Amino acid sequence: NNTPRAPSASNFDGLRSRLSLGLARELGNRTQADAFIGVLRENTKTGGSTNWEYHVSASLRHAIPSPISVLPGSWVFSLSLSGDFARYDAPDPSVDSSIPRRDDKWRLNALASIPLANNVALITSAGYADIQSNLANYTYDNWRVSLGVVAQF
């Protein structure tokens, strides 16, 4: 729906189709690994935003008994790496009328979950994203860190 803030939002209306395949494997009582591949087709009203996107990712999770005896449960650590590769059907004339966009996105993430009580946990994460494009407007990198408390009711 178009709005005053996004007068051409309806250009992005269209069918999105996704196919993915994943594999999860136990590597022991406390360690799991996952791997995924996928493809996404996004059809919009403009060729400059219509694209194929290919995805690959892998993650590893490991749990250890709490090293602090007064804290319940296991501490869980995870590390993941993912790549997304988008290929656009046509140039976007608002950016460059002669070159279809190609984006390569790599993300590395680490997470720790530490139970503080039976229904409360400390969650911390850090990550890096490296986004490369053949159009300079879309190339950037980003570091992020977060710390939070999660409660389950």
Side-chain angles (χ1 to χ4, degrees):
N1 294 332
N2 294 333
T3 67
R5 291 185 62 177
S8 60
S10 64
N11 287 343
F12 297 101
D13 290 349
L15 182 65
R16 296 182 101 199
S17 305
R18 180 185 313 261
L19 175 65
S20 60
L21 177 64
L23 174 67
R25 176 103 178 150
E26 296 284 335
L27 302 177
N29 319 353
R30 298 186 165 273
T31 306
Q32 296 175 320
D34 297 327
F36 291 92
I37 58 172
V39 62
L40 168 72
R41 176 63 180 174
E42 184 169 15
N43 292 297
T44 66
K45 293 180 181 175
T46 62
S49 56
T50 296
N51 69 85
W52 286 98
E53 186 169 310
Y54 307 95
H55 172 82
V56 60
S57 66
S59 66
L60 186 64
R61 279 180 308 289
H62 184 70
I64 63 169
S66 177
I68 301 172
S69 61
V70 296
L71 295 180
S74 296
W75 295 19
V76 178
F77 301 92
S78 71
L79 185 64
S80 65
L81 176 66
S82 66
D84 294 291
F85 313 98
R87 304 299 180 252
Y88 291 78
D89 288 7
D92 180 347
S94 68
V95 178
D96 187 315
S97 61
S98 63
I99 301 173
R101 184 171 152 196
R102 296 172 54 101
D103 295 342
D104 294 337
K105 304 171 187 175
W106 287 101
R107 293 181 177 89
L108 178 64
N109 294 296
L111 180 131
S113 174
I114 300 167
L116 302 175
N118 287 334
N119 62 345
V120 179
L122 175 69
I123 307 288
T124 184
S125 67
Y128 175 73
D130 179 36
I131 314 301
Q132 298 294 318
S133 179
N134 63 331
L135 300 175
N137 312 38
Y138 299 101
T139 296
Y140 63 94
D141 64 347
N142 187 52
W143 288 94
R144 65 168 186 77
V145 176
S146 68
L147 177 66
V149 175
V150 176
Q152 189 175 26
F153 301 98

